[in-house]
Amino acid sequence: MVETIQWIDDSVVLIDQTRLPLEEKYIACHSYLEVAAAIREMVIRGAPAIGVAAAMGVALGVLRANEENLDAQVNTICDTLAKTRPTAVNLFWAIERMRRLYQRLRGKPIAEIRKWMIEEARLVREEDIAICRAIGHNGAALVPDHSTVLTHCNAGALATAGYGTALGVIRAAVEAGKQVSVFADETRPFLQGARLTVWELQQDGIPTTLITDNMAGHFLKSGRIACVLVGADRIAANGDVANKVGTYTVAVLAKENAVPFFVAAPISTLDLTLASGERIPIEQRAAAEVTHVFGRAVAPAGTTVENPAFDVTPAQYVTAIITEKGVAHPPYEESLRLLAGSRL
Amino acid sequence: MVETIQWIDDSVVLIDQTRLPLEEKYIACHSYLEVAAAIREMVIRGAPAIGVAAAMGVALGVLRANEENLDAQVNTICDTLAKTRPTAVNLFWAIERMRRLYQRLRGKPIAEIRKWMIEEARLVREEDIAICRAIGHNGAALVPDHSTVLTHCNAGALATAGYGTALGVIRAAVEAGKQVSVFADETRPFLQGARLTVWELQQDGIPTTLITDNMAGHFLKSGRIACVLVGADRIAANGDVANKVGTYTVAVLAKENAVPFFVAAPISTLDLTLASGERIPIEQRAAAEVTHVFGRAVAPAGTTVENPAFDVTPAQYVTAIITEKGVAHPPYEESLRLLAGSRL
């Protein structure tokens, strides 16, 4: 069992997702700045996992902070972590959760503050695994027996504290006795599908076929794909979904070929402050991610690049959104608000 | 000016497209078997360029053949070249053209047969360049001034004997004084867009932005793309288009966003013997093209892969087909038949 992120001996231990699957290497972060760098450089990625990393980053920051001016230091820690990546809302959700706890603890002895902040970060991690299992449980019925599911990017154990969102649904369907195989988009430029999804499904013995992103349309048209399952980085109140770039393309092709398109994500991925996906900030990443693969140039020197890390899939293409609290169907303004307000 | 394929000193000289843009290396084929290997290994690729290579391969085979049993040798040469790649119909068109010429020359002195076969192969090359210029001329009016065109794969000078089909239309629009910039899909797994399209447009000073294939949908939705221009490997009588895998995806996304989708190809790409695209054979290529980039693994060992090199875009997504004889509009059964039968 792969461990995405753990709190071990006053440090945050991450599997280095930039090196998988060629190397299975764990790194330990001893300061919040190291955690921030790990998020920025995608050593850890995936919206729920980023949330856990941010929570642990705040705890680590408080653990290493001086007793003097603690308020100011907590602000700096939170602000620094909040600036690592703009799109996944789980990052801000986790930081806000830690900040609110700190507000409640202010004035207590620093040892106590540290203890509770670390406890909370570990709780965020444990809850995330439990949430993924609930998402899997809620979504498993949507995956037909003897079917092939298409997924994009990695919304698996590596994108969460464990078990995964989209891949959690697949795992739960398999655990329920269904025969499910997976088509995995390789997901350029960072190759999360080829490097991470294939790798973690191999470990579970779930049959997986790797394709390049531009083959998804061909296979959706072929009738071989029963449904699409993806994760999300931010979901607006109307059900518009920001997720890894290419998700919109898969959603349009799924609809064109009458294949159901499911999004699996925790409630913490909802951003009900945004009426639609149009206002979700889309991160632009470095050109070298596109022009180079593992450091090797695949384009001429001086190539101009666009590298949006995410795109927005309008709600009209989304068949259902699977959360730990239940499955939301259109119209999403209503179903998501009800789920968000309900108790687990 | 890049030279894709030339007949020089009784050999066929090709720029090695597997090494571009990192190395600009020409290789000389001295036997038809070397030409066949170059087509199979994609040292030369692109439907029109494959046609020229096949014609030159036949000529080279006849040049090196013995005078005894020439008929049998010509059959072997043609059959071997015909087995290199299954989808691009230009290959079969060019071989058939050379075979028919040989039938007419049978019984003449071998020196004369060789001379005329070589002449014909050089003519196929020269005609291809002229055809591309005519395609460009016919298509240029479809490209708006001050616009950005999306292209997939490489349908440029490198996919033809020169000038290009889809990129020929862009070149002709630029030569007509229009300001045109290009978005180039990188086109996994072989990266013809990143390696070849960006490289050859850079040489012409046409502003080009490289994106990964899965970003095309995002940019088609953004309103920044005025039209899509792609080549073709085979076009059925009803206008269904086989082209590099991913073309279908782009076509669906273009239609969904009301962006015109144009196919540029010579008449030799038409296969009017096929009623629809369903019966076009789709080449499956080696898994290593997907699991490795320039020899470097991007997926775990033992990964299962699908690697169809082409897909079929149903005619309903194709706004127009630009040929050297004119522009065909739907219904294509009628317009393509008329164009195919008309004189240049």
Side-chain angles (χ1 to χ4, degrees):
Chain A
M1 174 69 179
V2 54
E3 289 290 357
T4 307
I5 179 165
Q6 292 173 282
W7 182 280
I8 299 174
D9 295 339
D10 292 349
S11 72
V12 179
V13 177
L14 312 167
I15 189 163
D16 186 346
Q17 301 195 27
T18 66
R19 300 193 178 221
L20 284 171
L22 304 184
E23 277 181 82
E24 207 168 317
K25 188 189 157 211
Y26 288 83
I27 66 167
C29 299
H30 299 283
S31 72
Y32 80 91
L33 288 173
E34 286 174 25
V35 174
I39 296 171
R40 203 180 307 115
E41 292 157 19
M42 295 171 72
V43 169
I44 187 163
R45 30 61 53 197
I50 288 173
V52 177
M56 289 193 175
V58 175
L60 196 55
V62 171
L63 179 65
R64 301 270 182 260
N66 302 319
E67 209 163 341
E68 312 289 308
N69 293 322
L70 193 54
D71 286 7
Q73 289 174 81
V74 170
N75 276 338
T76 302
I77 292 163
C78 290
D79 292 351
T80 302
L81 285 161
K83 278 181 193 143
T84 49
R85 300 196 67 192
T87 305
V89 76
N90 317 59
L91 177 79
F92 309 105
W93 167 87
I95 292 169
E96 197 47 39
R97 176 167 165 170
M98 297 301 284
R99 205 195 283 267
R100 278 202 308 271
L101 175 64
Y102 174 74
Q103 296 298 336
R104 292 202 300 276
L105 296 170
R106 277 179 70 202
K108 291 194 194 289
I110 185 140
E112 202 173 325
I113 294 175
R114 286 174 175 153
K115 174 176 162 268
W116 285 113
M117 296 290 279
I118 293 169
E119 274 304 299
E120 187 76 0
R122 299 177 84 145
L123 187 63
V124 169
R125 175 181 173 280
E126 280 160 36
E127 283 178 8
D128 187 63
I129 299 171
I131 285 167
C132 285
R133 290 208 168 260
I135 290 171
H137 176 81
N138 291 339
L142 298 172
V143 179
D145 196 6
H146 301 285
S147 72
T148 299
V149 175
L150 175 70
T151 190
H152 186 71
C153 195
N154 172 268
L158 289 164
T160 61
Y163 203 68
T165 52
L167 300 193
V169 172
I170 292 166
R171 289 192 164 98
V174 169
E175 285 167 18
K178 291 182 183 171
Q179 289 200 314
V180 181
S181 61
V182 176
F183 266 52
D185 284 352
E186 65 173 0
T187 319
R188 281 279 289 147
F190 204 66
L191 294 163
Q192 291 95 333
R195 299 192 301 103
L196 309 178
T197 295
V198 170
W199 183 77
E200 67 165 272
L201 292 176
Q202 268 185 358
Q203 315 241 319
D204 281 9
I206 296 174
T208 306
T209 300
L210 174 64
I211 58 171
T212 62
D213 301 306
N214 57 19
M215 293 174 192
H218 173 74
F219 288 107
L220 283 162
K221 179 154 75 85
S222 76
R224 290 170 64 179
I225 309 293
C227 65
V228 178
L229 263 165
V230 297
D233 289 80
R234 194 185 298 213
I235 301 173
N238 69 342
D240 290 354
V241 174
N243 190 46
K244 179 52 53 193
V245 71
T247 302
Y248 164 68
T249 287
V250 176
V252 169
L253 286 155
K255 183 156 202 177
E256 188 76 5
N257 291 287
V259 175
F261 179 89
F262 300 122
V263 174
I267 292 290
S268 58
T269 303
L270 300 182
D271 183 355
L272 302 185
T273 69
L274 296 184
S276 81
E278 278 168 40
R279 295 193 44 225
I280 298 175
I282 298 297
E283 177 182 11
Q284 305 292 323
R285 292 187 62 86
E289 284 186 358
V290 173
T291 56
H292 290 67
V293 176
F294 280 128
R296 178 93 190 238
V298 296
T303 298
T304 303
V305 165
E306 291 262 3
N307 187 11
F310 304 93
D311 61 25
V312 175
T313 300
Q316 66 181 103
Y317 301 103
V318 180
T319 310
I321 298 173
I322 307 159
T323 77
E324 70 272 30
K325 292 185 176 179
V327 179
H329 294 278
Y332 291 111
E333 280 86 353
E334 196 181 314
S335 57
L336 289 178
R337 193 164 30 82
L338 281 173
L339 277 188
S342 73
R343 298 187 67 88
L344 194 53
Chain B
M1 175 68 179
V2 54
E3 289 290 356
T4 307
I5 180 166
Q6 291 172 283
W7 183 281
I8 299 175
D9 295 339
D10 291 348
S11 72
V12 179
V13 176
L14 311 168
I15 189 163
D16 186 345
Q17 301 195 27
T18 66
R19 301 193 177 220
L20 285 172
L22 305 183
E23 277 182 82
E24 206 168 317
K25 189 189 156 212
Y26 287 83
I27 66 166
C29 299
H30 299 282
S31 72
Y32 81 90
L33 288 173
E34 287 175 25
V35 174
I39 296 171
R40 203 180 306 116
E41 291 156 21
M42 296 171 71
V43 170
I44 187 163
R45 29 62 54 199
I50 288 172
V52 177
M56 288 192 176
V58 175
L60 195 56
V62 171
L63 179 65
R64 302 268 182 262
N66 303 319
E67 207 162 342
E68 310 292 306
N69 291 323
L70 193 53
D71 285 8
Q73 290 174 80
V74 170
N75 276 339
T76 303
I77 292 163
C78 289
D79 292 352
T80 303
L81 285 161
K83 279 180 193 141
T84 49
R85 299 196 68 192
T87 304
V89 77
N90 317 60
L91 177 80
F92 310 105
W93 167 86
I95 291 169
E96 197 47 40
R97 175 166 166 171
M98 296 300 283
R99 205 195 283 267
R100 277 203 309 269
L101 174 64
Y102 174 74
Q103 295 297 339
R104 292 202 299 275
L105 296 170
R106 276 179 71 202
K108 292 194 193 290
I110 185 140
E112 200 172 329
I113 294 175
R114 285 174 176 152
K115 174 175 161 268
W116 286 113
M117 296 291 279
I118 293 169
E119 274 304 299
E120 187 76 1
R122 300 176 84 145
L123 187 64
V124 169
R125 176 181 172 279
E126 280 160 38
E127 282 178 7
D128 187 62
I129 299 172
I131 286 167
C132 285
R133 291 209 167 257
I135 290 170
H137 177 80
N138 291 340
L142 298 171
V143 179
D145 197 6
H146 300 286
S147 71
T148 299
V149 175
L150 174 71
T151 190
H152 186 71
C153 195
N154 173 268
L158 289 163
T160 61
Y163 203 69
T165 51
L167 300 193
V169 172
I170 292 166
R171 288 192 165 99
V174 169
E175 286 168 18
K178 292 182 184 173
Q179 289 199 316
V180 181
S181 60
V182 175
F183 266 51
D185 283 353
E186 66 174 1
T187 318
R188 281 280 288 148
F190 204 66
L191 294 164
Q192 291 94 334
R195 298 192 301 103
L196 309 179
T197 295
V198 170
W199 183 77
E200 68 165 270
L201 292 176
Q202 269 185 358
Q203 316 241 320
D204 281 8
I206 297 174
T208 306
T209 299
L210 175 65
I211 58 171
T212 61
D213 301 306
N214 57 19
M215 293 174 190
H218 174 74
F219 288 107
L220 283 163
K221 180 155 75 86
S222 76
R224 289 170 64 181
I225 309 292
C227 65
V228 178
L229 262 165
V230 298
D233 288 79
R234 195 184 298 212
I235 301 173
N238 69 343
D240 289 355
V241 174
N243 191 45
K244 180 52 53 192
V245 70
T247 301
Y248 163 69
T249 288
V250 176
V252 169
L253 286 154
K255 183 154 202 178
E256 189 75 5
N257 292 287
V259 175
F261 179 88
F262 299 122
V263 174
I267 291 290
S268 58
T269 304
L270 300 182
D271 183 354
L272 301 185
T273 68
L274 295 184
S276 81
E278 277 167 42
R279 296 194 42 225
I280 297 175
I282 298 297
E283 178 181 11
Q284 306 291 325
R285 292 187 62 86
E289 284 187 357
V290 173
T291 56
H292 289 67
V293 176
F294 280 129
R296 179 94 190 237
V298 297
T303 298
T304 303
V305 165
E306 291 261 4
N307 186 12
F310 304 93
D311 60 25
V312 175
T313 300
Q316 65 181 104
Y317 301 102
V318 180
T319 310
I321 298 173
I322 306 160
T323 77
E324 70 273 29
K325 292 185 177 180
V327 179
H329 294 277
Y332 291 112
E333 282 85 355
E334 196 181 313
S335 57
L336 290 179
R337 193 164 31 83
L338 281 173
L339 277 187
S342 73
R343 298 187 66 89
L344 193 55

